[in-house]
Amino acid sequence: MKSNRLLSVCLGAAILALSLSGCAQREEYYGVSSESAAVSSDISEVSESTSTENGAGANGSNSNSSTSVSGGTSDKNTSSANGSSSANSSNGTSKPTTSSAHQHTYSEKIVAPTCTQSGYTLHFCECGEQYTSDVINSLGHNYDTNTVAPTCTASGYTQYTCKTCGFSCNDDYTAALGHKYTAATVKPTCEKNGYTLNTCERCGYETASDYTSALGHSWGEWETTKTATASSDGEQIRRCSVCGKTESKSIPKTMNASSYTDEVVRLVNIERAKYGLSPLTSNSTLAEYAHLRSTEIVSNFDHVRPDGSSPLDYVMSLRGIYTSGENIAYGQRSPERVVTAWMNSPGHRANILNGKFTMIGVGCYESGGTLYWTQIFAG
């Protein structure tokens, strides 16, 4: 009775297997069905018994197919008269399975190894399927070395350059040496600062420190090397007693004093005429005194004489003089400029336009290239 029950289970499993299509479906049935697993040892026994008695499976399956089940685990090998499938592998790479609709035709391309990448043979079909084989390890770098010595400011290192691909990298660094200075003192001159010059013995780099101020020139007196004339400028020079440097300056052409004073008188009378005043008469005594006063105001530009007296005391001592006045100026280079300057000053303008004055004397004196002017009025 027990034997008939087991045979019934086995035959039922075989009949169900025939209703499934393909090896994969049969594998799923035997590998997953809990009922099949529960009786796997008994099924094995019945299969052997049936094979002995009938020479074929009780389910009437093809004699070219065989199945064994043991211990609840499926271990299956199948074959079929209609075709076969197999798996092929080389160096861990699988060749794609051929489809029944397309037969792959592979071309080959050999990719050589580089320093950093493996080489291999690439098999590719026009449909896009491809696989690789014959993998060759990367070559690795083949380095040449070059030692770069450290300098005062830059680190040293070893440079590695691959002879195969040109890749380069640095390693084995050594610290920069730093400067090794020798100091020299540079003394100051009249125009340039002094300092300490620090020069590196290794690379020649220079830097300065410890500055001292320039001495400045020690000038002598101005000396006339060319006397000015009425037609050409003169020249004066002075020399530094420390460094010997010279400076020069020009001396303006000498003036024609009489022509300058006469022009001042003419310009003054033009201004007086604008206001309906009588012209002033040039007086030789007043002109001589005006010239003296021009020499005196070089050292004391004031309406005071060197002895402290008033400059008009002398004028008032002259016979027939009842009123007097004085205008002084310096720096103007022409009669036109000095008369303009006086007319722009209220006090000086008042003397020029004083209706009580009838006489005038004008003095002009040059000192150090500067003109000193004097007007003496009397009436």
Side-chain angles (χ1 to χ4, degrees):
M1 185 67 178
K2 179 179 180 181
S3 175
N4 289 335
R5 181 168 53 84
L6 291 175
L7 178 59
S8 177
V9 171
C10 182
L11 290 175
I15 291 170
L16 180 61
L18 288 175
S19 68
L20 300 176
S21 62
C23 296
Q25 292 172 321
R26 289 195 299 275
E27 181 180 5
E28 178 182 355
Y29 175 76
Y30 285 111
V32 177
S33 172
S34 59
E35 183 181 0
S36 174
V39 296
S40 60
S41 59
D42 292 337
I43 292 173
S44 178
E45 293 174 4
V46 174
S47 295
E48 292 176 2
S49 173
T50 303
S51 175
T52 302
E53 295 177 3
N54 300 324
N59 58 5
S61 63
N62 192 311
S63 61
N64 292 326
S65 176
S66 64
T67 303
S68 63
V69 180
S70 177
T73 302
S74 175
D75 183 12
K76 176 170 90 293
N77 182 24
T78 64
S79 62
S80 173
N82 295 325
S84 63
S85 72
S86 62
N88 182 29
S89 64
S90 176
N91 293 331
T93 306
S94 298
K95 178 178 179 180
T97 302
T98 302
S99 169
S100 61
H102 171 71
Q103 182 66 38
H104 292 302
T105 301
Y106 291 99
S107 298
E108 294 184 354
K109 177 182 178 181
I110 298 176
V111 178
T114 67
C115 294
T116 57
Q117 294 184 336
S118 300
Y120 53 88
T121 300
L122 176 65
H123 306 266
F124 56 94
C125 179
E126 62 181 5
C127 71
E129 291 290 340
Q130 63 181 27
Y131 69 98
T132 59
S133 65
D134 305 323
V135 176
I136 303 173
N137 291 334
S138 60
L139 303 176
H141 292 299
N142 183 14
Y143 286 117
D144 266 343
T145 60
N146 176 40
T147 301
V148 178
T151 66
C152 295
T153 57
S155 299
Y157 55 88
T158 299
Q159 184 180 54
Y160 296 87
T161 304
C162 180
K163 294 186 288 186
T164 304
C165 68
F167 172 77
S168 180
C169 62
N170 301 330
D171 202 354
D172 307 324
Y173 286 89
T174 56
L177 302 175
H179 293 297
K180 184 179 181 182
Y181 287 117
T182 299
T185 301
V186 178
K187 294 181 178 180
T189 66
C190 294
E191 297 179 341
K192 295 182 179 180
N193 295 331
Y195 53 90
T196 298
L197 179 64
N198 306 290
T199 305
C200 179
E201 296 177 359
R202 296 189 182 100
C203 68
Y205 173 76
E206 292 182 340
T207 183
S209 61
D210 306 324
Y211 285 89
T212 55
S213 299
L215 302 175
H217 292 293
S218 180
W219 297 111
E221 296 295 326
W222 288 105
E223 299 177 0
T224 301
T225 58
K226 181 182 178 182
T227 303
T229 66
S231 60
S232 63
D233 292 338
E235 183 184 58
Q236 288 183 320
I237 65 168
R238 63 178 181 175
R239 191 181 305 275
C240 176
S241 61
V242 177
C243 68
K245 181 178 180 178
T246 60
E247 279 188 343
S248 64
K249 67 178 182 178
S250 63
I251 303 172
K253 297 175 184 178
T254 58
M255 66 167 184
N256 186 332
S258 62
S259 66
Y260 271 27
T261 57
D262 290 346
E263 181 65 10
V264 170
V265 174
R266 188 183 74 84
L267 294 173
V268 165
N269 284 330
I270 290 175
E271 295 298 330
R272 287 174 66 88
K274 292 177 182 179
Y275 295 91
L277 300 173
S278 301
L280 300 176
T281 302
S282 182
N283 182 279
S284 60
T285 300
L286 295 181
E288 289 178 4
Y289 182 59
H291 178 75
L292 175 62
R293 284 291 296 140
S294 291
T295 64
E296 290 177 350
I297 63 176
V298 171
S299 58
N300 183 31
F301 187 74
D302 198 356
H303 294 291
V304 178
R305 298 198 66 189
D307 62 1
S309 63
S310 169
L312 297 180
D313 288 347
Y314 170 75
V315 180
M316 295 304 295
S317 69
L318 297 176
R319 181 186 296 182
I321 301 301
Y322 301 98
T323 182
S324 62
E326 179 185 69
N327 284 344
I328 58 176
Y330 77 94
Q332 296 80 9
R333 295 300 301 171
S334 69
E336 291 81 2
R337 291 182 180 181
V338 71
V339 171
T340 299
W342 279 328
M343 288 299 292
N344 288 333
S345 171
H348 299 89
R349 178 189 178 91
N351 278 341
I352 292 174
L353 300 180
N354 191 329
K356 295 180 180 181
F357 295 150
T358 59
M359 295 176 288
I360 186 174
V362 178
C364 181
Y365 176 74
E366 182 181 13
S367 176
T370 301
L371 297 181
Y372 293 84
W373 304 85
T374 303
Q375 288 178 321
I376 300 294
F377 301 94

PDB file of all heavy atoms in Angstrom, residues 56-77:
ATOM      1  N   ALA A  56      11.866   2.892 -18.701  1.00  0.00           N
ATOM      2  CA  ALA A  56      11.580   4.289 -19.032  1.00  0.00           C
ATOM      3  C   ALA A  56      10.815   4.882 -17.876  1.00  0.00           C
ATOM      4  O   ALA A  56      10.255   4.172 -17.064  1.00  0.00           O
ATOM      5  CB  ALA A  56      10.753   4.373 -20.312  1.00  0.00           C
ATOM      6  N   GLY A  57      10.772   6.228 -17.829  1.00  0.00           N
ATOM      7  CA  GLY A  57      10.055   6.882 -16.739  1.00  0.00           C
ATOM      8  C   GLY A  57       8.581   6.615 -16.829  1.00  0.00           C
ATOM      9  O   GLY A  57       8.024   6.459 -17.909  1.00  0.00           O
ATOM     10  N   ALA A  58       7.902   6.565 -15.617  1.00  0.00           N
ATOM     11  CA  ALA A  58       6.471   6.293 -15.598  1.00  0.00           C
ATOM     12  C   ALA A  58       5.671   7.394 -16.245  1.00  0.00           C
ATOM     13  O   ALA A  58       4.530   7.222 -16.578  1.00  0.00           O
ATOM     14  CB  ALA A  58       6.015   6.114 -14.149  1.00  0.00           C
ATOM     15  N   ASN A  59       6.284   8.572 -16.427  1.00  0.00           N
ATOM     16  CA  ASN A  59       5.564   9.675 -17.054  1.00  0.00           C
ATOM     17  C   ASN A  59       5.690   9.663 -18.564  1.00  0.00           C
ATOM     18  O   ASN A  59       5.223  10.555 -19.247  1.00  0.00           O
ATOM     19  CB  ASN A  59       6.054  11.026 -16.521  1.00  0.00           C
ATOM     20  CG  ASN A  59       7.563  11.192 -16.755  1.00  0.00           C
ATOM     21  OD1 ASN A  59       8.166  10.331 -17.386  1.00  0.00           O
ATOM     22  ND2 ASN A  59       8.120  12.275 -16.243  1.00  0.00           N
ATOM     23  N   GLY A  60       6.360   8.667 -19.124  1.00  0.00           N
ATOM     24  CA  GLY A  60       6.466   8.550 -20.567  1.00  0.00           C
ATOM     25  C   GLY A  60       7.402   9.579 -21.163  1.00  0.00           C
ATOM     26  O   GLY A  60       7.244   9.954 -22.318  1.00  0.00           O
ATOM     27  N   SER A  61       8.412  10.082 -20.461  1.00  0.00           N
ATOM     28  CA  SER A  61       9.328  11.127 -20.959  1.00  0.00           C
ATOM     29  C   SER A  61      10.301  10.551 -21.951  1.00  0.00           C
ATOM     30  O   SER A  61      10.564   9.368 -21.969  1.00  0.00           O
ATOM     31  CB  SER A  61      10.067  11.770 -19.782  1.00  0.00           C
ATOM     32  OG  SER A  61      10.852  10.805 -19.135  1.00  0.00           O
ATOM     33  N   ASN A  62      10.913  11.453 -22.743  1.00  0.00           N
ATOM     34  CA  ASN A  62      11.891  11.116 -23.775  1.00  0.00           C
ATOM     35  C   ASN A  62      13.078  10.431 -23.148  1.00  0.00           C
ATOM     36  O   ASN A  62      13.591  10.855 -22.122  1.00  0.00           O
ATOM     37  CB  ASN A  62      12.329  12.394 -24.499  1.00  0.00           C
ATOM     38  CG  ASN A  62      13.097  12.072 -25.756  1.00  0.00           C
ATOM     39  OD1 ASN A  62      14.014  11.277 -25.734  1.00  0.00           O
ATOM     40  ND2 ASN A  62      12.692  12.703 -26.860  1.00  0.00           N
ATOM     41  N   SER A  63      13.556   9.373 -23.788  1.00  0.00           N
ATOM     42  CA  SER A  63      14.684   8.617 -23.251  1.00  0.00           C
ATOM     43  C   SER A  63      15.970   9.418 -23.291  1.00  0.00           C
ATOM     44  O   SER A  63      16.960   9.043 -22.692  1.00  0.00           O
ATOM     45  CB  SER A  63      14.854   7.291 -24.051  1.00  0.00           C
ATOM     46  OG  SER A  63      15.122   7.591 -25.416  1.00  0.00           O
ATOM     47  N   ASN A  64      15.963  10.571 -24.040  1.00  0.00           N
ATOM     48  CA  ASN A  64      17.184  11.404 -24.095  1.00  0.00           C
ATOM     49  C   ASN A  64      17.262  12.382 -22.938  1.00  0.00           C
ATOM     50  O   ASN A  64      18.172  13.181 -22.866  1.00  0.00           O
ATOM     51  CB  ASN A  64      17.217  12.200 -25.400  1.00  0.00           C
ATOM     52  CG  ASN A  64      17.418  11.281 -26.593  1.00  0.00           C
ATOM     53  OD1 ASN A  64      18.108  10.285 -26.477  1.00  0.00           O
ATOM     54  ND2 ASN A  64      16.780  11.622 -27.717  1.00  0.00           N
ATOM     55  N   SER A  65      16.272  12.357 -22.054  1.00  0.00           N
ATOM     56  CA  SER A  65      16.277  13.278 -20.925  1.00  0.00           C
ATOM     57  C   SER A  65      16.268  12.505 -19.646  1.00  0.00           C
ATOM     58  O   SER A  65      15.527  11.537 -19.509  1.00  0.00           O
ATOM     59  CB  SER A  65      15.042  14.197 -20.996  1.00  0.00           C
ATOM     60  OG  SER A  65      14.986  15.034 -19.870  1.00  0.00           O
ATOM     61  N   SER A  66      17.083  12.886 -18.698  1.00  0.00           N
ATOM     62  CA  SER A  66      17.132  12.217 -17.395  1.00  0.00           C
ATOM     63  C   SER A  66      17.211  13.242 -16.316  1.00  0.00           C
ATOM     64  O   SER A  66      17.790  14.304 -16.515  1.00  0.00           O
ATOM     65  CB  SER A  66      18.333  11.257 -17.326  1.00  0.00           C
ATOM     66  OG  SER A  66      19.538  11.976 -17.416  1.00  0.00           O
ATOM     67  N   THR A  67      16.625  12.951 -15.153  1.00  0.00           N
ATOM     68  CA  THR A  67      16.617  13.884 -14.025  1.00  0.00           C
ATOM     69  C   THR A  67      16.867  13.116 -12.757  1.00  0.00           C
ATOM     70  O   THR A  67      16.291  12.064 -12.550  1.00  0.00           O
ATOM     71  CB  THR A  67      15.255  14.599 -13.915  1.00  0.00           C
ATOM     72  OG1 THR A  67      14.980  15.273 -15.133  1.00  0.00           O
ATOM     73  CG2 THR A  67      15.249  15.587 -12.768  1.00  0.00           C
ATOM     74  N   SER A  68      17.701  13.650 -11.874  1.00  0.00           N
ATOM     75  CA  SER A  68      17.918  13.044 -10.557  1.00  0.00           C
ATOM     76  C   SER A  68      17.730  14.110  -9.515  1.00  0.00           C
ATOM     77  O   SER A  68      18.124  15.251  -9.701  1.00  0.00           O
ATOM     78  CB  SER A  68      19.327  12.433 -10.466  1.00  0.00           C
ATOM     79  OG  SER A  68      20.302  13.434 -10.600  1.00  0.00           O
ATOM     80  N   VAL A  69      17.103  13.796  -8.402  1.00  0.00           N
ATOM     81  CA  VAL A  69      16.861  14.719  -7.297  1.00  0.00           C
ATOM     82  C   VAL A  69      17.340  14.055  -6.040  1.00  0.00           C
ATOM     83  O   VAL A  69      17.018  12.906  -5.783  1.00  0.00           O
ATOM     84  CB  VAL A  69      15.350  15.062  -7.185  1.00  0.00           C
ATOM     85  CG1 VAL A  69      15.119  16.014  -6.040  1.00  0.00           C
ATOM     86  CG2 VAL A  69      14.850  15.652  -8.499  1.00  0.00           C
ATOM     87  N   SER A  70      18.064  14.757  -5.206  1.00  0.00           N
ATOM     88  CA  SER A  70      18.578  14.168  -3.970  1.00  0.00           C
ATOM     89  C   SER A  70      18.658  15.243  -2.914  1.00  0.00           C
ATOM     90  O   SER A  70      19.198  16.322  -3.162  1.00  0.00           O
ATOM     91  CB  SER A  70      19.957  13.556  -4.221  1.00  0.00           C
ATOM     92  OG  SER A  70      20.481  13.051  -3.031  1.00  0.00           O
ATOM     93  N   GLY A  71      18.183  14.931  -1.745  1.00  0.00           N
ATOM     94  CA  GLY A  71      18.329  15.810  -0.585  1.00  0.00           C
ATOM     95  C   GLY A  71      17.656  17.157  -0.735  1.00  0.00           C
ATOM     96  O   GLY A  71      18.114  18.112  -0.128  1.00  0.00           O
ATOM     97  N   GLY A  72      16.619  17.329  -1.557  1.00  0.00           N
ATOM     98  CA  GLY A  72      15.915  18.600  -1.695  1.00  0.00           C
ATOM     99  C   GLY A  72      16.636  19.592  -2.568  1.00  0.00           C
ATOM    100  O   GLY A  72      16.238  20.745  -2.675  1.00  0.00           O
ATOM    101  N   THR A  73      17.745  19.240  -3.248  1.00  0.00           N
ATOM    102  CA  THR A  73      18.512  20.161  -4.093  1.00  0.00           C
ATOM    103  C   THR A  73      18.522  19.645  -5.500  1.00  0.00           C
ATOM    104  O   THR A  73      18.757  18.466  -5.734  1.00  0.00           O
ATOM    105  CB  THR A  73      19.964  20.273  -3.573  1.00  0.00           C
ATOM    106  OG1 THR A  73      19.925  20.717  -2.242  1.00  0.00           O
ATOM    107  CG2 THR A  73      20.748  21.263  -4.430  1.00  0.00           C
ATOM    108  N   SER A  74      18.275  20.555  -6.471  1.00  0.00           N
ATOM    109  CA  SER A  74      18.230  20.156  -7.871  1.00  0.00           C
ATOM    110  C   SER A  74      19.606  20.215  -8.462  1.00  0.00           C
ATOM    111  O   SER A  74      20.295  21.222  -8.376  1.00  0.00           O
ATOM    112  CB  SER A  74      17.283  21.093  -8.631  1.00  0.00           C
ATOM    113  OG  SER A  74      17.322  20.789 -10.011  1.00  0.00           O
ATOM    114  N   ASP A  75      20.061  19.100  -9.028  1.00  0.00           N
ATOM    115  CA  ASP A  75      21.338  19.052  -9.737  1.00  0.00           C
ATOM    116  C   ASP A  75      21.030  18.427 -11.076  1.00  0.00           C
ATOM    117  O   ASP A  75      20.880  17.219 -11.187  1.00  0.00           O
ATOM    118  CB  ASP A  75      22.348  18.222  -8.934  1.00  0.00           C
ATOM    119  CG  ASP A  75      23.699  18.207  -9.613  1.00  0.00           C
ATOM    120  OD1 ASP A  75      23.909  19.019 -10.555  1.00  0.00           O
ATOM    121  OD2 ASP A  75      24.539  17.407  -9.190  1.00  0.00           O
ATOM    122  N   LYS A  76      20.906  19.251 -12.145  1.00  0.00           N
ATOM    123  CA  LYS A  76      20.297  18.807 -13.381  1.00  0.00           C
ATOM    124  C   LYS A  76      21.260  18.920 -14.531  1.00  0.00           C
ATOM    125  O   LYS A  76      21.990  19.876 -14.662  1.00  0.00           O
ATOM    126  CB  LYS A  76      19.039  19.670 -13.620  1.00  0.00           C
ATOM    127  CG  LYS A  76      18.327  19.410 -14.917  1.00  0.00           C
ATOM    128  CD  LYS A  76      17.008  20.124 -14.903  1.00  0.00           C
ATOM    129  CE  LYS A  76      17.093  21.532 -15.460  1.00  0.00           C
ATOM    130  NZ  LYS A  76      17.794  22.516 -14.834  1.00  0.00           N
ATOM    131  N   ASN A  77      21.253  17.940 -15.407  1.00  0.00           N
ATOM    132  CA  ASN A  77      21.978  17.975 -16.665  1.00  0.00           C
ATOM    133  C   ASN A  77      20.991  17.579 -17.743  1.00  0.00           C
ATOM    134  O   ASN A  77      20.378  16.531 -17.657  1.00  0.00           O
ATOM    135  CB  ASN A  77      23.159  16.999 -16.620  1.00  0.00           C
ATOM    136  CG  ASN A  77      23.966  17.061 -17.897  1.00  0.00           C
ATOM    137  OD1 ASN A  77      23.932  18.067 -18.579  1.00  0.00           O
ATOM    138  ND2 ASN A  77      24.661  15.981 -18.187  1.00  0.00           N
TER     139      ASN A  77
END
